[in-house]
PDB file of all heavy atoms in Angstrom:
ATOM      1  N   ALA B 231      11.710  -2.521  85.630  1.00 59.00           N
ATOM      2  CA  ALA B 231      12.949  -3.013  85.028  1.00 59.00           C
ATOM      3  C   ALA B 231      12.700  -4.282  84.246  1.00 59.00           C
ATOM      4  O   ALA B 231      13.366  -4.543  83.254  1.00 59.00           O
ATOM      5  CB  ALA B 231      13.985  -3.247  86.115  1.00 59.00           C
ATOM      6  N   LEU B 235      12.343  -6.754  79.302  1.00 53.00           N
ATOM      7  CA  LEU B 235      12.667  -8.139  79.002  1.00 53.00           C
ATOM      8  C   LEU B 235      11.581  -8.771  78.141  1.00 53.00           C
ATOM      9  O   LEU B 235      11.833  -9.652  77.338  1.00 53.00           O
ATOM     10  CB  LEU B 235      12.842  -8.935  80.303  1.00 53.00           C
ATOM     11  CG  LEU B 235      13.876  -8.340  81.267  1.00 53.00           C
ATOM     12  CD1 LEU B 235      13.982  -9.186  82.510  1.00 53.00           C
ATOM     13  CD2 LEU B 235      15.235  -8.229  80.598  1.00 53.00           C
ATOM     14  N   PHE B 238      11.763  -8.337  74.294  1.00 48.00           N
ATOM     15  CA  PHE B 238      12.757  -9.021  73.482  1.00 48.00           C
ATOM     16  C   PHE B 238      12.300 -10.398  73.022  1.00 48.00           C
ATOM     17  O   PHE B 238      13.075 -11.322  72.970  1.00 48.00           O
ATOM     18  CB  PHE B 238      14.067  -9.164  74.289  1.00 48.00           C
ATOM     19  CG  PHE B 238      14.659  -7.841  74.668  1.00 48.00           C
ATOM     20  CD1 PHE B 238      15.085  -7.611  75.970  1.00 48.00           C
ATOM     21  CD2 PHE B 238      14.797  -6.827  73.749  1.00 48.00           C
ATOM     22  CE1 PHE B 238      15.627  -6.396  76.331  1.00 48.00           C
ATOM     23  CE2 PHE B 238      15.341  -5.610  74.100  1.00 48.00           C
ATOM     24  CZ  PHE B 238      15.759  -5.396  75.397  1.00 48.00           C
ATOM     25  N   ASP B 297      25.722 -18.107  70.930  1.00 92.00           N
ATOM     26  CA  ASP B 297      24.989 -16.861  70.738  1.00 92.00           C
ATOM     27  C   ASP B 297      25.046 -16.404  69.287  1.00 92.00           C
ATOM     28  O   ASP B 297      24.634 -15.316  68.945  1.00 92.00           O
ATOM     29  CB  ASP B 297      25.644 -15.806  71.653  1.00 92.00           C
ATOM     30  CG  ASP B 297      24.923 -14.493  71.620  1.00 92.00           C
ATOM     31  OD1 ASP B 297      23.733 -14.471  71.931  1.00 92.00           O
ATOM     32  OD2 ASP B 297      25.568 -13.483  71.272  1.00 92.00           O
ATOM     33  N   LYS B 412      46.048   5.058  63.273  1.00 85.00           N
ATOM     34  CA  LYS B 412      45.371   4.953  64.557  1.00 85.00           C
ATOM     35  C   LYS B 412      45.189   3.534  65.029  1.00 85.00           C
ATOM     36  O   LYS B 412      45.255   3.235  66.208  1.00 85.00           O
ATOM     37  CB  LYS B 412      44.009   5.586  64.379  1.00 85.00           C
ATOM     38  CG  LYS B 412      43.221   5.641  65.620  1.00 85.00           C
ATOM     39  CD  LYS B 412      42.300   6.831  65.470  1.00 85.00           C
ATOM     40  CE  LYS B 412      41.877   7.308  66.791  1.00 85.00           C
ATOM     41  NZ  LYS B 412      40.870   6.449  67.258  1.00 85.00           N
TER      42      LYS B 412
ATOM     43  N   ALA C 158      17.343  -0.993  88.179  1.00 95.00           N
ATOM     44  CA  ALA C 158      16.931  -2.340  88.581  1.00 95.00           C
ATOM     45  C   ALA C 158      17.970  -2.986  89.487  1.00 95.00           C
ATOM     46  O   ALA C 158      17.644  -3.495  90.564  1.00 95.00           O
ATOM     47  CB  ALA C 158      16.702  -3.204  87.344  1.00 95.00           C
ATOM     48  N   ASN C 213      24.559 -12.728  77.191  1.00 94.00           N
ATOM     49  CA  ASN C 213      23.780 -11.869  76.295  1.00 94.00           C
ATOM     50  C   ASN C 213      22.299 -11.815  76.678  1.00 94.00           C
ATOM     51  O   ASN C 213      21.426 -11.914  75.834  1.00 94.00           O
ATOM     52  CB  ASN C 213      23.938 -12.318  74.840  1.00 94.00           C
ATOM     53  CG  ASN C 213      23.494 -11.246  73.871  1.00 94.00           C
ATOM     54  OD1 ASN C 213      23.504 -10.066  74.190  1.00 94.00           O
ATOM     55  ND2 ASN C 213      23.057 -11.654  72.701  1.00 94.00           N
ATOM     56  N   THR C 293      25.920  -8.736  73.335  1.00 92.00           N
ATOM     57  CA  THR C 293      26.253  -8.620  71.925  1.00 92.00           C
ATOM     58  C   THR C 293      25.102  -8.073  71.096  1.00 92.00           C
ATOM     59  O   THR C 293      25.278  -7.718  69.953  1.00 92.00           O
ATOM     60  CB  THR C 293      26.640  -9.990  71.345  1.00 92.00           C
ATOM     61  OG1 THR C 293      25.525 -10.865  71.471  1.00 92.00           O
ATOM     62  CG2 THR C 293      27.818 -10.562  72.083  1.00 92.00           C
ATOM     63  N   TYR C 297      20.360  -4.516  73.737  1.00 94.00           N
ATOM     64  CA  TYR C 297      20.589  -4.704  75.170  1.00 94.00           C
ATOM     65  C   TYR C 297      21.650  -3.758  75.714  1.00 94.00           C
ATOM     66  O   TYR C 297      21.834  -3.672  76.917  1.00 94.00           O
ATOM     67  CB  TYR C 297      21.069  -6.122  75.465  1.00 94.00           C
ATOM     68  CG  TYR C 297      20.089  -7.222  75.145  1.00 94.00           C
ATOM     69  CD1 TYR C 297      20.538  -8.509  74.944  1.00 94.00           C
ATOM     70  CD2 TYR C 297      18.725  -6.995  75.055  1.00 94.00           C
ATOM     71  CE1 TYR C 297      19.677  -9.542  74.670  1.00 94.00           C
ATOM     72  CE2 TYR C 297      17.847  -8.012  74.771  1.00 94.00           C
ATOM     73  CZ  TYR C 297      18.328  -9.288  74.578  1.00 94.00           C
ATOM     74  OH  TYR C 297      17.479 -10.314  74.301  1.00 94.00           O
ATOM     75  N   TYR C 308      31.271   4.045  67.558  1.00 90.00           N
ATOM     76  CA  TYR C 308      32.608   4.519  67.240  1.00 90.00           C
ATOM     77  C   TYR C 308      33.338   3.516  66.364  1.00 90.00           C
ATOM     78  O   TYR C 308      34.067   3.878  65.455  1.00 90.00           O
ATOM     79  CB  TYR C 308      33.365   4.743  68.552  1.00 90.00           C
ATOM     80  CG  TYR C 308      34.802   5.137  68.411  1.00 90.00           C
ATOM     81  CD1 TYR C 308      35.180   6.258  67.704  1.00 90.00           C
ATOM     82  CD2 TYR C 308      35.797   4.392  69.039  1.00 90.00           C
ATOM     83  CE1 TYR C 308      36.503   6.625  67.598  1.00 90.00           C
ATOM     84  CE2 TYR C 308      37.121   4.754  68.944  1.00 90.00           C
ATOM     85  CZ  TYR C 308      37.471   5.876  68.229  1.00 90.00           C
ATOM     86  OH  TYR C 308      38.777   6.230  68.147  1.00 90.00           O
TER      87      TYR C 308
END
Side-chain angles (χ1 to χ4, degrees):
Chain B
L235 305 180
F238 298 133
D297 184 58
K412 184 152 203 282
Chain C
N213 197 25
T293 61
Y297 296 158
Y308 176 57

